[in-house]
Amino acid sequence: MLSYLLATLTFAGVYALLALGLNVIWGMAGMINLGLAGFFALGAYASALATVALGLPIALGIVIAIAAAALAGALLSRLTLNLRGDYLAIVTLGFGEVIRLIAANEIWLTNGSDGIPGIPGPFRGALTPLQFNALSCGLLLLAVALAWFLTERLRRSPYGRALRAIRDDETAAAVAGKPVRLYKVQAFAIGAGLLGLAGAAYAHFTSYVAPDIFRPLLTIYIFLALTAGGTGNTSGAVLGAFLVIVILEGSRFIEPMFHGMSGAQGAALREIIIGSVLIFVMRIRPEGLLAERPPKPVEP
Amino acid sequence: MPNTLLSASGLERSFYGVRALNGAALDVRAGTITGLIGPNGAGKTTVFNCLSGVIPCEAGQILFDGADITGLRPEQISQLGLVRTFQIARGFPKLTVLETLLLHGDGQPGENVLTAVFTPGRSRARERDLIDRAREVAEQLNLTGVLENMSSDLSGGQKKLLEIGRALMGRPKLILLDEPVAGVNPALAGEIAERIAALRETGLTFLIVEHDMDIVARLCDPVIVMAAGARLTEGTFDEIVADRRVQDAYLGQRA
């Protein structure tokens, strides 16, 4: 049971990293990104291939994963600078699917739908499964804390102020003298880097990646997490991610209460619960559990 | 003209076959409050959009303070000291008034992403200067009491004042005001006009699009009249009021 809790907390950490990444792209800069699963997959595969195929150390694999996702994010946002709203949503959704399809079909590189097994985890061989879960959980929470600290610092900085201005009104921000295009590419790359980090963490923790893991549903879960937690609020992103995991995992324990329910019905029940909770949260707190607040100005 | 601050000539811009600007030209002399008037659809706002780089013009040349600014991006033009406001106060709803003003300050090292994340201390000194400047601007515009409010919570008149305040933050040379008193009650409109006149005394130059003729008469000299995407005439308010062509442009030609 403890091992299960630790594993769940680790997954919550992965979700929190994803939500923090989305919070930079969508919460602060206002760019919609429905391709979260794609960046997550990119990070997972990059680190998996670097450590399994090339035999590089895990730390280096993670750095490569962050860099690969950030680069892809910079490139994608550079290509879509003039797209807004719905159109950016379509392109990023397409990007996510393209990454998944590449992973499924470029068998020489990714081993196709069989996936890549045996991805090393830190000290996996030397530890009992429980110890390994505890270590992973600790590392993940540390990564979340660091990501929280850095993105919150970003939000409070003059850079973050300009980013929020761009989100609210791009043209007015340009007239305010801000290089809007540069900001958007940078913000997208930073957010994508965090998504890549989440992917790498996932791969090394579970030791296995396959294309099926990276379905668009994951993107929806993260959007739910951020929306419920509070778009634009760094702590809200983390809170929302934990909330979604609690609901996803908690509903496992509700299922046995209904006798004679099939597996498919159980899965559907989870979706219903997630949807209902989100509607409820939005009904009572439209801004999310933790609303965005402007940072306090520097004391003169 | 030696003291011409802004000079635009031959501006052209079409939107899907509608020629919004048809060789529009205008000059703004330093130290003036130049008015830009004309009937709806004359191309006044398009001129502003072209001058500020928000919508690039298709032909023509724009000279500002001795430099050719034709085709520059909005942020480059703003950084040179030519700043515009918007007709419908386009605030940043989730920024406070103070943040909105700070945003328009320049030379903030904390706007570099690496500085912002890794060495935030380096932006603090500049931030303090900007806060001082923002308080100064707020005082000039009677906005001190609402500095901590969200910009979306301001009244219509305060939003208009904030528009001017934003433009002032970067210490511009020329401010383009797009309908600074539209939709504001007459008392406050008079107050805004007084602020603009007072700012001119500090050495600023204004180009103002405005439909309120009392305000134009009070503030603007000279007044440029546009019609059908080009300059129709220019003169003092009394001159253009007496001009038959101006009356025709507004009211239509008599049979």
Side-chain angles (χ1 to χ4, degrees):
Chain A
M1 184 65 188
L2 181 61
S3 192
Y4 165 75
L5 281 179
L6 286 170
T8 304
L9 204 54
T10 310
F11 282 122
V14 171
Y15 272 44
L17 286 177
L18 288 168
L20 284 170
L22 180 63
N23 191 40
V24 175
I25 298 173
W26 165 243
M28 295 190 209
M31 291 177 284
I32 197 154
N33 179 2
L34 291 185
L36 296 183
F39 291 101
F40 185 61
L42 205 61
Y45 270 97
S47 198
L49 288 171
T51 50
V52 173
L54 302 178
L56 296 173
I58 295 172
L60 199 57
I62 290 175
V63 171
I64 291 172
I66 295 172
L71 197 68
L75 212 62
L76 185 66
S77 62
R78 179 66 193 77
L79 291 173
T80 57
L81 269 178
N82 296 324
L83 300 185
R84 288 176 208 188
D86 316 357
Y87 299 99
L88 186 58
I90 292 167
V91 172
T92 50
L93 186 63
F95 170 83
E97 283 299 276
V98 165
I99 294 289
R100 189 171 67 84
L101 291 173
I102 288 176
N105 292 294
E106 297 300 318
I107 298 170
W108 62 274
L109 182 68
T110 63
N111 205 21
S113 51
D114 289 344
I116 303 176
I119 302 166
F123 307 105
R124 195 194 295 276
L127 300 173
T128 67
L130 178 64
Q131 285 171 330
F132 178 74
N133 280 3
L135 177 68
S136 302
C137 181
L139 288 174
L140 246 298
L141 294 185
L142 205 67
V144 170
L146 190 66
W148 179 90
F149 176 73
L150 291 179
T151 55
E152 178 63 12
R153 203 181 224 189
L154 191 72
R155 190 182 81 85
R156 290 170 180 274
S157 72
Y159 179 89
R161 179 166 68 213
L163 221 48
R164 289 184 294 133
I166 289 168
R167 172 195 67 192
D168 286 357
D169 189 331
E170 218 172 279
T171 308
V175 170
K178 306 303 160 207
V180 172
R181 300 155 67 91
L182 178 69
Y183 272 85
K184 287 173 74 172
V185 171
Q186 285 176 341
F188 207 104
I190 293 170
L194 282 172
L195 302 175
L197 170 64
Y202 177 87
H204 291 293
F205 174 60
T206 61
S207 82
Y208 173 68
V209 293
D212 264 3
I213 299 165
F214 307 104
R215 295 202 166 271
L217 187 62
L218 176 75
T219 301
I220 305 300
Y221 282 154
I222 301 303
F223 261 94
L224 293 187
L226 186 59
T227 310
T231 308
N233 186 308
T234 318
S235 307
V238 178
L239 179 70
F242 280 82
L243 183 72
V244 163
I245 287 285
V246 165
I247 299 169
L248 276 175
E249 291 298 320
S251 49
R252 275 183 208 282
F253 299 98
I254 295 178
E255 279 172 47
M257 292 182 208
F258 299 91
H259 295 291
M261 194 159 57
S262 72
Q265 285 171 325
L269 182 68
R270 293 166 122 197
E271 307 294 328
I272 292 171
I273 293 173
I274 289 230
S276 317
V277 169
L278 185 78
I279 292 170
F280 181 68
V281 168
M282 290 292 100
R283 191 71 190 82
I284 53 168
R285 292 192 75 98
E287 305 229 287
L289 293 171
L290 301 175
E292 180 188 357
R293 274 196 193 80
K296 283 207 170 23
V298 178
E299 292 304 319
Chain B
M1 269 186 283
N3 59 348
T4 299
L5 186 57
L6 175 74
S7 170
S9 55
L11 298 183
E12 299 201 1
R13 173 77 208 194
S14 308
F15 298 101
Y16 306 104
V18 178
R19 303 196 70 162
L21 292 185
N22 200 356
L26 58 84
D27 294 296
V28 179
R29 292 197 306 281
T32 60
I33 299 178
T34 303
L36 181 61
I37 66 168
N40 287 324
K44 304 180 296 291
T45 296
T46 308
V47 165
F48 265 32
N49 283 336
C50 287
L51 292 176
S52 60
V54 169
I55 295 173
C57 54
E58 288 155 350
Q61 192 184 36
I62 306 167
L63 299 173
F64 174 65
D65 202 18
D68 189 341
I69 60 165
T70 320
L72 293 189
R73 286 197 303 276
E75 66 265 24
Q76 294 171 316
I77 293 172
S78 292
Q79 283 158 7
L80 287 172
L82 170 57
V83 179
R84 71 168 293 176
T85 65
F86 289 94
Q87 182 175 344
I88 304 152
R90 289 173 78 155
F92 302 112
K94 295 207 168 167
L95 263 59
T96 65
V97 172
L98 177 61
E99 282 186 302
T100 305
L101 290 174
L102 293 177
L103 179 78
H104 288 70
D106 55 351
Q108 170 53 271
E111 285 180 358
N112 178 297
V113 63
L114 294 176
T115 308
V117 175
F118 297 110
T119 51
R122 280 176 50 202
S123 59
R124 223 157 272 154
R126 179 67 186 147
E127 192 76 352
R128 280 194 202 102
D129 291 347
L130 286 177
I131 289 176
D132 287 344
R133 170 83 184 135
R135 292 195 189 284
E136 208 176 286
V137 167
E139 198 148 336
Q140 279 177 321
L141 298 170
N142 214 1
L143 289 171
T144 307
V146 294
L147 271 177
E148 304 297 325
N149 292 30
M150 302 303 266
S151 353
S152 51
D153 295 341
L154 297 184
S155 71
Q158 285 170 327
K159 279 184 183 157
K160 292 283 184 187
L161 286 167
L162 179 56
E163 281 287 317
I164 299 174
R166 292 156 58 155
L168 286 176
M169 274 303 288
R171 298 186 188 276
K173 301 185 184 98
L174 170 62
I175 299 182
L176 308 178
L177 293 176
D178 200 349
E179 304 204 10
V181 304
V184 170
N185 74 59
L188 189 55
E191 195 194 318
I192 292 175
E194 271 170 41
R195 306 271 171 194
I196 294 170
L199 287 167
R200 192 257 300 262
E201 298 305 316
T202 67
L204 268 169
T205 308
F206 288 92
L207 176 64
I208 301 183
V209 166
E210 186 51 65
H211 282 294
D212 184 327
M213 286 306 146
D214 291 339
I215 298 292
V216 174
R218 231 169 100 182
L219 280 180
C220 301
D221 184 33
V223 177
I224 299 168
V225 185
M226 279 188 74
R231 173 165 57 183
L232 184 66
T233 181
E234 179 177 343
T236 65
F237 186 74
D238 293 334
E239 281 167 8
I240 60 126
V241 167
D243 195 319
R244 201 38 206 282
R245 288 172 303 161
V246 176
Q247 295 165 12
D248 288 344
Y250 268 94
L251 302 172
Q253 218 121 1
R254 266 172 238 175

